[in-house]
Amino acid sequence: MPHENDSTINELISQMTPEEKIGQLNQFSASPDLHPDLLRQGGLGSLLNASGALTGQGFSDSGNAEISNHFQKLALESRLKIPLIFGRDVIHGFRTVFPIPLAQAASFNPELAGEAASVAAREASACGIKWTFAPMLDIARDPRWGRVAEGNGEDPYLGSQIAVATVKGFQGDDYAAPDKIIACAKHYVGYGASEGGRDYENGEISEPTLRDVYLPPFFAAVKAGVGTIMSAFIDLNGMPATADRRLLTDVLRGEWGFDGFVVSDWESVRELTYHGIAEDDAHAARLALHAGLDMDMVSGVYLNTLGESLQQGKLSAVELDEAVCRILRIKQRAGLFEQPFTDPAREARDTLRPEDRELARQFARESMVLLKNEGSLLPLQGFQRILVAGNFIHARSELFGAWTPDGRAEDVTPFDEALRQLAPKGTELWFTEAPDMALHMAHQVDAVVLVVGEHPIRSGENCNVSDLGLPPGQAEFVEAVVSLGKPVVLVVFAGRPLAITRQLAQADAVLYAWHPGSEGAAALGELLFGQASPSGRLPITMPRATGQVPIYYNSKNSGRPINRDALFRTRYQDLIPKPLLPFGYGLTYTNFEYANLKVSQETLRGSLEVSAEISNTGSRAGVEVVQLYVRDLVGSLTRPIRELKGFQRTELQSGETRRVSFTLREEDLAFTRADGTWGVESGKFHVWIAQDSQCGLQGEFRL
Ligand code: BGC
């Protein structure tokens, strides 16, 4: 594909020695012992400023403009003066920390995700970072996997909407702008299917499922102009993603027209030898480069072996030039040749602005999911004395979640302080972290807010669990408090959907807060006391028990589905054949009713409208996330029992009714057919406008 300015780049490439070309393909992690001569010789194309693969939690060593400018100066002393590009994991905020990506998805508000990415881009770029390793677009159907926290959950449609919004938020229309950064869609692809929820494990995904479920968010990111892609650690169907030419070249570039560059994950080029697909480092490097993997993240095997392979004629000079071209193209688009340095004065000006904090608070509010509210216990009103007990009540950086190397504890107002500021006048608040104290104090109060859940180090990279229940001891604590008979609100912090089956039955109200970021405590307080109302919905199925995973809403029917009247139907002997709570589920402080579904035509030609009247029948204003689902009843391959095709956050005042309408287009119904092609098949479809993936008003149409 010809490119706007490739002539300048090709001109530059024609002047480069093989060593200089290979140099561009390497990314190293910045460290004090990095030899300046490597930069002066043009031996590196990029520096990864991150503090390591397991950054986060209470650890803050932000990249800053002086450091990147220092390294940039060295790189510009090289013969051809090719600037470095500085990468970092800016995953859900930089200095201002937004909710974890899974929580962001729970807001069903891609626009907010875009705004948050835009704030993160401004803050990160002020510190010399021009490239983020985000968004993570891995579909995850197994919450044992720690990285479920970093993605947008189980649904390809929701994931794609957020992919587009975040790519645009990071990059803007033109990522050469000083306050924009290049996005990196990761981990391409299938990483979420690691067996048993164990990070780095192998996985098997059939071609139709890969194309219909795992690839769509990446496709959406490419269409939105994402500059870079990161390959996954996974060995997918027997081919490690880092060496998969079919996916990296044929699909990504050939089918989708992606013209940016692909970076490996940390050391994953070298790891091709561990996978047993390469006999040594040189072989690994050749396999990866040939597959279309342009930049080697930290393993050094490109730097150390490609030169010799080239001399031996084992490496295609054309493929080498192509990789160099793709990297330089992105550097050029990023304006690095003109503006290689960052103004250090920007950091103070451009980070942690009051309006960024406000956005973080709004996002945290919108991401929390109300799972139960018996007797309308929430919002807490009319209680004279409330006990707030459990973990995290004094927590600061623990509210951030995984992957927040640049968040700072001192920026956070802890939960106890936030609650004191927000409680209605006259309400007495008691706090304790100690379970025995809590049991003692609970006798003397009118209501209890119990705070439980996961410390952030329980999710994120390689933080997998084999048991989705609450961490040890917490279930017993909840049980003991509940047995005292006081009204109990359970607040759960978590990086994944936990199987809180017993606790959901025991507590009167349950608010799922995820890891909510810098402003999470205040957002939670506003919801508890009613200054704001919950509006989040589950972006991933909440299982009843660990043994039930993988469980997800868009599954296939099978020949013996649970609702078929047959003795031998799919089930466990010891478990209700349903999730604890379905995808899309979430309550508010009011009630919504759905009526009068209309499907504009009996037969879809091009597109049709599906609408329903939504009424707020409760006494408070509220936001309903109205969801559109379809089912293709007969296909040449079996089709999911439901697929999300649209959603709208709809705010309604008490007593208000509005008709909410969706346009369904023919292409929304396309899938991978039995012959391997992508397209629609005529026939009958069911359609729902629904509150979640298991209920709703049902209609039908034909295609
Ligand atoms: C992770 C990536 C991350 C990279 C750089 C790897 O261990 O898998 O998601 O972007 O490190 O820190």
Side-chain angles (χ1 to χ4, degrees), residues 48 50 52-53 89 133 147 150 186-187 191 230 233 265-266 297 403 461:
L48 164 69
D89 289 287
F133 306 122
R147 303 200 84 166
E150 297 175 52
K186 73 183 186 186
H187 306 84
Y191 189 31
M230 186 188 292
F233 284 127
D265 204 345
W266 189 277
M297 183 187 280
W403 286 108
E461 185 169 349

Side-chain angles (χ1 to χ4, degrees), residues 18 44 117 283 299 370 383 653 660 686:
L44 291 182
H283 188 197
S299 86
L370 181 64
F383 294 104
Q653 300 305 312
V660 173
H686 282 165

Side-chain angles (χ1 to χ4, degrees), residues 509-590:
V510 179
L511 189 57
Y512 215 74
W514 313 103
H515 290 132
S518 305
E519 289 289 322
L524 189 51
E526 289 175 2
L527 295 180
L528 291 175
F529 291 122
Q531 284 96 334
S533 301
S535 60
R537 301 291 186 271
L538 292 176
I540 185 162
T541 301
M542 193 164 260
R544 231 164 242 285
T546 312
Q548 206 179 24
V549 300
I551 181 167
Y552 45 90
Y553 87 95
N554 48 357
S555 58
K556 304 295 186 69
N557 203 39
S558 89
R560 294 180 174 189
I562 50 168
N563 55 1
R564 197 184 133 182
D565 187 18
L567 182 57
F568 290 95
R569 55 188 183 174
T570 175
R571 63 163 186 171
Y572 291 108
Q573 293 220 26
D574 55 353
L575 207 62
I576 297 170
K578 281 187 170 177
L580 180 60
L581 292 169
F583 173 87
Y585 180 87
L587 303 172
T588 61
Y589 289 160
T590 185

